[in-house]
Amino acid sequence: MTTPAWPRLDGIAYGGDYNPEQWPREVWDEDVRLMREAGVTMVSIGIFSWGLLEVREGEFDFAWLDDIIALLHANGIAVDLGTPTASPPAWFFAQYPDARAVTKDGVPLGFGARGMVSHSAPEYRTAIDRIAGALAERYGDHPAVVLWHIHNEYGVPVGEDFSPHSVRAWRRWLQDKYGSIAGLNAAWGTAFWGQHYEEWDHVGAPAIAPSTINPAQKLDWARFTDEMLRECFRIEKAAIRAHASQPITTNFMANQHHGVDLWAWADEVDIVSDDHYLWAADVEGEIGLAIAADLSRSVGDGKPWILMEHSTSAVNWQPRNVAKRPGEMARNSLSHFGRGADGILFFQWRAGRSGAEKFHSAMLPHAGTESRVFREVVDLGGKLGRLAEVQGSRVEADVAVLWDFESFWAQDLEWRPSEDVSHDERIRAFYERLWRDDITVDFALPGHDLSRYRLVVVPSQYLLTARDAANLTAYVAQGGTLVVSFFSAVVDENDAVHPGGYGAVLAEALGVRVEEHLPLREGHVTGIRVDDQVFAADVWQEDLVVTTADVRATYTAGPAEGRPAVTRNVHGEGVGWYISTRPDADGLRAIMREVYADAGVDVPATPAGVETIVRRGTDADYLIAINHDTREVSLTASGTDLLTQADVRDTLVLAGGDVAVVRLAHTAPRGDR
Ligand code: GLA
């Protein structure tokens, strides 16, 4: 059986999670009628339906699912069929109480929410194999089913599991990894605090302990947790593949949950899909959205991906759930689309009356069709319907920002030099600079072939292996521009400090040595001088020893006053920059202007608050422009606006809050946007 690269669908997929089982049969007819009105082309069903599909162990009731799939098919709406394994039924836990996940403090999780299961429990693994296989056997060749949606958001609400099943699997996993207990002792540095082991059975999970637990043990635990989830995914995938050839996905949570390594997961799925929700507390949520979208595209090696869930308006699970304002849903959707999403879906089609998510927005809100949200949903369906020709086109970036889940896991452990240092915060700061400069970014791993990028940004990558550091050094030697933020390259894969000291593995590329970290007190704002300008800087300083680098900024205050803060090093054909503090936004802008000049990266003259992205097709390039500002702006472009069919001659005028997708009259030469 060959698996198609994309669901059998025309154009950009549009739709959402649909839970017909929560509604009486007569509502279904209204649902499909309104879906057609809204231009819905695909819905995800069955994601939380296990208890209604396998009513007792091994006893299936597919009648209602047969009916709804037939109804959708008759109305030309394709199905993304979920396997319901994120939420096993009540009978399962009654029968297998030991298959519940256990918290760190030893409490087995209770029923009544979702996701309480131990992913290591053999009974769970047998059960997911059975239900996924039964669904695939029944619907594997159904013409309506164009995609399989395994599980839901692996890693939440349950990732870590301290149950006996999990601890047994953990010991097996460690034996496979290390081969000998001596290997484990060496990797974990167990000579420290008397943690030496002689027996595998003595190795426990990092549950509650009197003080901070061995960080190498915790890092392995994060890897193990991720791997257990992936093993479950593979069981389901194999069960489906035995009967079905449609592409298979599972919905990620790029940039909202760091517990699973999306680079590894992307290798397992046929199509990357992602769920993204704005953080109400973030007043510029469109930047976080762009990060998530670029990460989704990047982990899938640039291939088109599906935005599996986002919201039409407010969610229900944040402290304050802020509703989207007119036009915001379309801007969000077009930004995902511009960044490579060829499917725009929502949680959920119809707002639920009961249950914990009844205050979550939907395509069809509680207010019904006479509502702004529904009108905008219909309008968006129309817009996406006009973008079919863009499907399959690609985004090309000249700049990569490193994103390594292993480094997240390691840096998030306890007893670090300063709790004010955050990998996430540095990624956002650098990305935000690039976003404001309207420069399109890919994310990458430090071990990737980076030669296609003019510039690579390393935002506080605490864990960097010697091998990956060598890759970055070679990238510079061969002509790349590298910019490295403080607290990078500190430890190896076992959370052990690199021989030679902090950053030693990048010393050649950067031309500096870090003698000592100088974390600052909370609220202590110091300064750096860049040429004749002084900028604020906080959180961190370092005692830097310059070997071959030039000093580009010095500290004006604080423990390292008068000493180098920012350096630039020519290494081979390229340049390595090092920023040993957290400059404010203006300081980072000033430094990055110089970095761009080294890298040959042009800053387009895009008005503030506007983002533009180019998708490149085989026959044409497409400019996606989104105006987050309330003022009208003008951009330089020529072609046809696919949303309005208007001719664009030299100038694209975008009203406040508006979006445009222009088929460009001229195609830029490849690799030279
Ligand atoms: C997640 C889940 C959905 C739903 C939404 C609500 O993304 O996958 O089932 O709970 O959140 O925002």
Side-chain angles (χ1 to χ4, degrees), residues 48 114 152-153 275 277 309 317 347 357 360:
F48 292 102
R114 61 177 167 182
N152 191 66
E153 297 186 335
D275 299 348
Y277 293 96
E309 295 178 23
W317 41 264
F347 178 84
E357 296 189 315
H360 199 291

Side-chain angles (χ1 to χ4, degrees), residues 379-403:
D379 182 63
L380 180 60
K383 283 191 166 77
L384 295 176
R386 281 167 237 141
L387 300 178
E389 67 175 80
V390 190
Q391 203 264 311
S393 60
R394 301 281 190 118
V395 175
E396 283 177 11
D398 289 338
V399 179
V401 176
L402 296 192
W403 183 298

